[in-house]
Amino acid sequence: MQTSSDRHEYPAHWEADVVLRDGGTARVRPITVDDAERLVSFYEQVSDESKYYRFFAPYPRLSAKDVHRFTHHDFVDRVGLAATIGGEFIATVRYDRIGAGGTAATAPADEAEVAFLVQDAHQGRGVASALLEHIAAVARERGIRRFAAEVLPANNKMIKVFMDAGYTQKRSFEDGVVRLEFDLEPTDRSLAVQYAREHRAEARSVRRLLQPGSVAVVGAGRTPGGVGRSILGNIRDAGYTGRLYAVNRAFPEDMKELDGVVACRSVRDIDGPVDLAVVTVPAEHVPDVVTACGEHGVQGLVVISAGYADSGPEGRERQRALVRHARTYGMRIIGPNAFGIINTSPDVRLNASLAPEMPRPGRIGLFAQSGAIGIALLSRLHRRGGGVTGHTGVSTFVSSGNRADVSGNDVVQYWYDDPDTDVALMYLESIGNPRKFTRLARRTAAAKPLVVVQGARHGGVAPQGHAVRATRLPHATVSALLRQAGVIRVDTITDLVDAGLLLARQPLPAGPRVAILGNSESLGLLTYDACLSEGLRPQPPLDLTTAASADDFHAALARALADDTCDAVVVTAIPTVGEGAAGDAALAEALRSAAAAVPTKPVLVVHVELGGLAEALSAATSTAPQTAPGTASQAAPGTTSQAAPSAAFASDPGAAPQAVPGGPASRATPGTAPHTPPGTADQPPSGPSGPSGPPRPSAAPAQPPSAVRAPEGAHLIPAYPAAERAVRALGEAVAYAQWRREAADPGKVPEYEDIDEKGAAQQIAGHLARGQGLTLGTQETCDLLGRYGVHVHRALPAATPDDAAAAAQAIGYPVALKATAPHLRHRADLGGVRLDLADEEQLRRAYAELTELFGKPAELRPVVQGMAPRGVDTVVRAVIDPAAGAVLSFGLAGAATQLLGDMAHRLIPVTDRDATSLIRSVRTAPLLFGWRGSAPVDAAALEELLLRVSRLVDDHPEVVAVTLEPVVVAPHGLSVLGASVRLAPPPARDDLGPRTLPAY
């Protein structure tokens, strides 16, 4: 507790959990008077050198006066923060507000002196960088705009912390001390630095979970069966390359081994470090396990145990306590109620899940919040036959369960850098931080495809166990924002797998032009129709007739791929009577060999009850050419290397393909370089058994005799049982490839010299001084929008006919008379608007008609407004959503928006390219561009309006809602006829603030 002299209560919202550079976690919180003993203990563990760097002189211990000074803060002019692990300090930072002469000061002085001290054992973990982000956010909140720091020249580590932060700095040297001064206003560089650090830290925290050097299964039972014993067996049988331990407090003291695995009664009894603990004990015993793991230095937990937020309010509180408990020791959690994790890398081979078999190694990463959906995804990718067929393996799999800590955002951070993952598939039931997810997705999608299906999207509530921020945006809007970020959004698990297999096996198409060929005219026509439905540009189908041989297919496919007017090929095939497996194998070989000759264009097969062909097409166990030992594949000077999809084979037909590290982590965008499909070599395991223990059966089912071996360099072609599914997957690939090309030049946020940002800030502050949240009046709205170059047509109230006549005289005829009552506003169809009133007589007649139809003037709230040039009525809206952030929306006014929901959306800040695409994204966009001979509107003026509204909301987070309706866009210029603005205090922290984990 703080003393009565403190001017502010304890700022609990400054508390935060952060991920450090090495993937561990720490808690950042304000220092209080209760921390005196912790501070002294912390200082005793700091080296003499670090103390010297902090105080510029030998300072072996803190005096009572020092302890009082460093623990008593007013949380305004004097603030101290500590980073803690296990409740003990590992680093501190403080600032003291100073005046012009460097002496202690109070507000409105806006400069402060800042100083750090980091325990030597924790230096190099990024603790000081994280603390700098948080103390800077606190300082900005308290009106401090600039930090000053004095550092000894030899203290290179601390100088680097300040210099690398990305703030605008000034550096000087005087009296043997380096003085650094830097503004705290975030810059593009400081945000880039912050996001890069966030990425490295969160990716490493997941890597520690997925690539552990040692694993302990806590709760492995002595008798066969049970969750713990099953997972222990799954890890062992998968050939895990690290150290494995079975832990159960019920083991006899003399028990040393369980199923060939070292057995211990507690994690504390394990001789050596433990990187990962898989917890399977009942929920009531988990706290004791967490304590034991934390004291032993375990880095992370996978909690399989249920009985948390999935079981109701009591369980939700138990889940919060679990996360808080684990984070005190710097541990991250997958779960609780998780299905488990899998890493098929030959260097790890970890199956810490309830899946009884290890999936085939491959290039697809899977994330599922549902264990049942995770099983379905693994099963679909694992098996042959049914649905989309063929060998396509998994790199990593994470089932997050209740997603109390590690989320899809963290796993996306890991996949971005993972050389073994080329395509990411995600099943999400909720998105805890959509704003961050779209930011991460945009960066990831620029390097590798990210395919997402969202469940529970129409339920209105998050699934039980998921703590997420509520969003006021409809699902269609969230979906549009995800697509804007490059996410391939699909509606079903089937679509998820269909798109994933195509993206994992084939290059990205350079455009929407599709060639169709096959031995069935009807199937070709179905494919043609499906292409049109997906917005593709199909060529007339080529019917090879049912008499077509494998050579005919080869020749037709080769011609189609060589055609410069074709970007992708769909091959349709029906069974040939009497040929059986031999015919299927020949056809598969013909298609593979033709596709391999042109590796830059995708090929898909639609088959009807043709299991043998599907098997043969997927008979390869690799997606890249093999290189002879001691040689390397290199493109000739002046040419582009073509790392085409290809195939190599294990010596054992039933062997599972094995991923080889070092594959490409990104794809070339069509139009810039040939697309390199996922495909560093997937090679067979080095042997039938792991580093120890007996041989284990392969996880892959044996190939049937009908499957033939593809020659080296052959394509792995995806096969689909229905034309609609194949074409839908191709359509997603085409749209994604187009997004990749456009993302290479995202555009810019224009600067407008006539914007009065400072004046707007002062006006907003004045309005908010009157209340916490308010909708501005008409004149206030016009004034604020006018500071950003958005000019609203003047509208004067007309409480009586005489007032209306006076208003019209002031504005000038012709005028419009409008009722602005809520039930009549923007409802011209109800007759509440009279236009083109040329004189006072017409105005008075119109006034009488309105009052006769709709009631007294007090109920109608009539206004008089000058006539605007005729054009297309549109609506522009901006809103701050608590989950998604700032969103700009556009549509045509009237039924198109209100009845059909025809609105397009973009995240703020909007670039010039975003504005251009936004007005063209609505279905009614042709009305803006000369539909049926009408004059095209002034699109440039409309785009500028969108950009100005975006700037207003982006510059001032207090502006939580803006509506411009109608905006009449004419062939030359536009007129804003109605506007409203709502203000509210900005949130204490947003996505521009310091790095934090979700609060619990």
Side-chain angles (χ1 to χ4, degrees):
M1 297 293 294
Q2 296 294 295
T3 65
S4 59
S5 63
D6 294 324
R7 289 183 285 143
H8 278 256
E9 294 182 356
Y10 179 80
H13 66 281
W14 292 352
E15 295 184 357
D17 294 304
V18 298
V19 184
L20 303 178
R21 181 182 301 157
D22 61 358
T25 66
R27 184 159 186 81
V28 175
R29 65 169 179 82
I31 298 174
T32 71
V33 296
D34 297 327
D35 292 317
E37 292 185 7
R38 292 186 186 89
L39 181 66
V40 172
S41 174
F42 158 73
Y43 194 77
E44 289 175 349
Q45 298 177 63
V46 175
S47 70
D48 291 339
E49 181 183 48
S50 295
K51 293 174 182 175
Y52 184 88
Y53 285 152
R54 169 65 177 85
F55 294 103
F56 299 178
Y59 217 89
R61 62 185 58 85
L62 295 175
S63 66
K65 183 178 180 180
D66 293 328
V67 173
H68 183 276
R69 176 191 171 201
F70 293 147
T71 56
H72 286 68
H73 305 100
D74 61 12
F75 302 128
V76 179
D77 301 324
R78 303 184 317 280
V79 173
L81 300 180
T84 68
I85 294 179
E88 299 301 320
F89 288 5
I90 64 167
T92 62
V93 61
R94 64 176 284 113
Y95 78 67
D96 294 271
R97 194 188 300 257
I98 57 176
T103 57
T106 60
D110 62 357
E111 183 174 356
E113 190 171 49
V114 65
F116 294 79
L117 185 60
V118 181
Q119 204 174 91
D120 294 66
H122 294 277
Q123 292 179 9
R125 300 186 65 197
V127 182
S129 298
L131 283 176
L132 178 58
E133 290 179 20
H134 283 261
I135 198 71
V138 167
R140 288 194 295 267
E141 184 180 328
R142 295 309 195 203
I144 292 172
R145 298 290 174 259
R146 187 169 55 259
F147 270 166
E150 293 185 346
V151 186
L152 290 175
N155 193 357
N156 294 318
K157 292 181 180 178
M158 189 52 61
I159 292 176
K160 182 174 173 58
V161 168
F162 291 121
M163 298 299 291
D164 290 348
Y167 296 111
T168 302
Q169 300 186 7
K170 183 172 67 175
R171 183 175 179 178
S172 60
F173 182 78
E174 186 177 351
D175 297 331
V177 174
V178 177
R179 181 174 177 82
L180 298 168
E181 298 179 9
F182 49 95
D183 296 332
L184 298 182
E185 186 66 26
T187 66
D188 290 342
R189 182 167 177 265
S190 70
L191 290 175
V193 169
Q194 177 178 313
Y195 291 153
R197 288 171 173 167
E198 172 193 67
H199 163 65
R200 288 194 300 268
E202 293 178 356
R204 286 172 182 167
S205 72
V206 175
R207 187 177 301 121
R208 300 201 319 178
L209 295 165
L210 289 174
Q211 301 178 14
S214 53
V215 176
V217 179
V218 184
R222 286 179 292 174
T223 58
V227 173
R229 184 69 173 268
S230 297
I231 291 179
L232 181 71
N234 294 342
I235 297 175
R236 182 201 61 210
D237 294 343
Y240 173 57
T241 59
R243 299 177 300 279
L244 180 61
Y245 305 95
V247 177
N248 192 324
R249 64 179 184 179
F251 287 163
E253 293 187 6
D254 58 349
M255 185 173 176
K256 304 299 182 184
E257 188 176 288
L258 178 67
D259 292 342
V261 176
V262 175
C264 301
R265 288 169 54 84
S266 170
V267 173
R268 296 184 182 92
D269 299 332
I270 295 175
D271 185 14
V274 175
D275 297 328
L276 176 70
V278 182
V279 182
T280 65
V281 300
E284 60 268 24
H285 299 306
V286 170
D288 293 337
V289 173
V290 173
T291 300
C293 290
E295 292 175 352
H296 193 72
V298 174
Q299 295 182 350
L301 307 172
V302 175
V303 181
I304 309 295
S305 313
Y308 289 88
D310 51 285
S311 63
E314 182 179 343
R316 185 177 295 276
E317 186 53 44
R318 188 183 299 121
Q319 181 168 301
R320 292 192 180 103
L322 168 65
V323 175
R324 289 193 296 265
H325 192 183
R327 286 180 180 173
T328 60
Y329 293 104
M331 296 184 293
R332 299 213 66 183
I333 296 175
I334 291 177
N337 194 30
F339 184 76
I341 60 175
I342 296 172
N343 187 345
T344 65
S345 167
D347 295 329
V348 182
R349 296 207 297 271
L350 174 66
N351 179 17
S353 77
L354 293 168
E357 292 183 341
M358 184 78 154
R360 296 182 183 89
R363 314 292 303 175
I364 294 179
L366 293 179
F367 176 87
Q369 291 178 352
S370 161
I373 298 299
I375 295 171
L377 286 171
L378 289 172
S379 175
R380 177 62 62 88
L381 290 173
H382 183 78
R383 72 178 186 231
R384 291 176 176 271
V388 178
T389 59
H391 286 306
T392 297
V394 174
S395 60
T396 49
F397 166 78
V398 176
S399 167
S400 64
N402 292 1
R403 207 202 57 206
D405 181 22
V406 172
S407 69
N409 286 344
D410 299 294
V411 179
V412 168
Q413 297 272 41
Y414 169 80
W415 279 335
Y416 178 77
D417 286 333
D418 182 26
D420 293 335
T421 301
D422 288 321
V423 180
L425 307 185
M426 305 185 76
Y427 171 78
L428 305 177
E429 292 179 340
S430 61
I431 303 177
N433 189 343
R435 190 181 326 194
K436 180 176 179 180
F437 182 76
T438 53
R439 170 168 58 85
L440 300 183
R442 184 187 297 273
R443 183 195 60 190
T444 302
K448 55 187 71 174
L450 179 60
V451 191
V452 171
V453 62
Q454 187 174 354
R457 57 185 183 271
H458 300 304
V461 295
Q464 199 171 25
H466 293 196
V468 298
R469 283 179 275 188
T471 177
R472 293 188 291 265
L473 299 177
H475 172 74
T477 302
V478 175
S479 179
L481 296 177
L482 291 180
R483 285 190 176 274
Q484 181 196 348
V487 174
I488 301 172
R489 260 280 295 114
V490 296
D491 292 327
T492 68
I493 291 298
T494 299
D495 291 342
L496 181 74
V497 176
D498 285 353
L501 291 178
L502 174 61
L503 294 164
R505 294 177 167 189
Q506 294 289 301
L508 293 176
R513 301 167 301 179
V514 182
I516 303 169
L517 62 93
N519 61 355
S520 168
E521 181 181 14
S522 298
L523 194 53
L525 291 174
L526 284 174
T527 305
Y528 182 89
D529 291 342
C531 287
L532 292 176
S533 298
E534 292 296 325
L536 303 178
R537 292 162 50 191
Q539 298 174 359
L542 174 61
D543 182 17
L544 301 178
T545 77
T546 55
S549 66
D551 290 340
D552 294 331
F553 271 93
H554 180 280
L557 179 56
R559 286 193 302 269
L561 290 172
D563 185 354
D564 291 338
T565 65
C566 161
D567 300 312
V569 182
V570 178
V571 178
T572 63
I574 61 173
T576 301
V577 177
E579 291 195 3
D584 292 340
L587 177 55
E589 172 55 30
L591 297 179
R592 275 201 306 261
S593 59
V598 185
T600 57
K601 295 183 180 181
V603 178
L604 303 81
V605 170
V606 177
H607 65 90
V608 177
E609 294 298 329
L610 208 60
L613 175 58
E615 295 289 350
L617 285 170
S618 302
T621 58
S622 171
T623 57
Q626 298 296 304
T627 303
T631 65
S633 175
Q634 187 173 358
T639 65
T640 304
S641 173
Q642 294 182 340
S646 56
F649 293 88
S651 58
D652 176 8
Q658 192 73 27
V660 175
S666 64
R667 299 170 170 231
T669 302
T672 59
H675 162 56
T676 303
T680 56
D682 290 347
Q683 297 176 342
S686 57
S689 62
S692 63
R696 289 174 299 278
S698 168
Q703 287 185 335
S706 62
V708 298
R709 298 191 181 282
E712 188 169 325
H715 259 286
L716 203 64
I717 301 175
Y720 299 81
E724 296 80 7
R725 287 175 57 180
V727 172
R728 195 156 49 237
L730 179 59
E732 296 292 356
V734 168
Y736 170 67
Q738 177 67 23
W739 180 89
R740 283 278 293 269
R741 289 190 289 270
E742 295 174 352
D745 180 18
K748 61 181 180 180
V749 178
E751 297 287 340
Y752 295 106
E753 295 182 358
D754 60 341
I755 286 179
D756 182 11
E757 183 177 349
K758 185 175 181 180
Q762 293 173 345
Q763 180 181 345
I764 290 169
H767 292 320
L768 287 177
R770 308 199 312 258
Q772 289 296 304
L774 69 159
T775 299
L776 298 185
T778 301
Q779 190 57 48
E780 295 168 333
T781 297
C782 293
D783 291 343
L784 179 59
L785 292 173
R787 296 182 186 278
Y788 272 74
V790 178
H791 302 291
V792 183
H793 261 236
R794 189 179 180 191
L796 299 178
T800 67
D802 291 338
D803 290 340
Q809 189 66 35
I811 293 173
Y813 289 99
V815 296
L817 179 66
K818 302 191 297 186
T820 61
H823 65 289
L824 296 173
R825 192 175 183 87
H826 308 310
R827 291 297 307 275
D829 57 306
L830 296 180
V833 179
R834 296 293 187 272
L835 303 176
D836 287 317
L837 304 176
D839 53 36
E840 183 175 339
E841 180 183 354
Q842 293 183 13
L843 175 63
R844 288 182 179 274
R845 186 184 310 121
Y847 198 101
E849 291 173 355
L850 285 182
T851 54
E852 182 179 347
L853 284 172
F854 298 110
K856 298 178 181 179
E859 300 172 356
L860 300 181
R861 305 178 192 176
V863 298
V864 174
Q865 193 171 44
M867 286 297 298
R870 293 189 180 277
V872 179
D873 288 2
T874 65
V875 56
V876 175
R877 296 189 182 120
V879 64
I880 304 292
D881 183 76
V887 179
L888 183 68
S889 304
F890 168 79
L892 268 62
T897 297
Q898 298 171 3
L899 180 61
L900 303 178
D902 186 20
M903 294 284 288
H905 314 275
R906 295 292 183 271
L907 290 172
I908 292 174
V910 168
T911 67
D912 50 3
R913 288 184 65 97
D914 290 334
T916 299
S917 67
L918 180 59
I919 65 174
R920 291 163 174 80
S921 298
V922 293
R923 298 192 298 276
T924 46
L927 294 174
L928 301 172
F929 299 101
W931 184 67
R932 300 185 70 176
S934 62
V937 304
D938 191 343
L942 181 55
E943 292 167 11
E944 181 177 330
L945 176 69
L946 293 169
L947 290 165
R948 288 179 179 273
V949 173
S950 170
R951 278 288 308 275
L952 170 65
V953 176
D954 190 43
D955 291 344
H956 306 284
E958 302 91 345
V959 179
V960 296
V962 176
T963 299
L964 308 181
E965 184 180 6
V967 177
V968 182
V969 191
H972 301 285
L974 55 77
S975 304
V976 180
L977 301 186
S980 66
V981 174
R982 179 166 180 78
L983 305 180
R989 296 284 171 90
D990 57 23
D991 200 40
L992 300 181
R995 291 170 283 160
T996 64
L997 287 170
Y1000 256 92

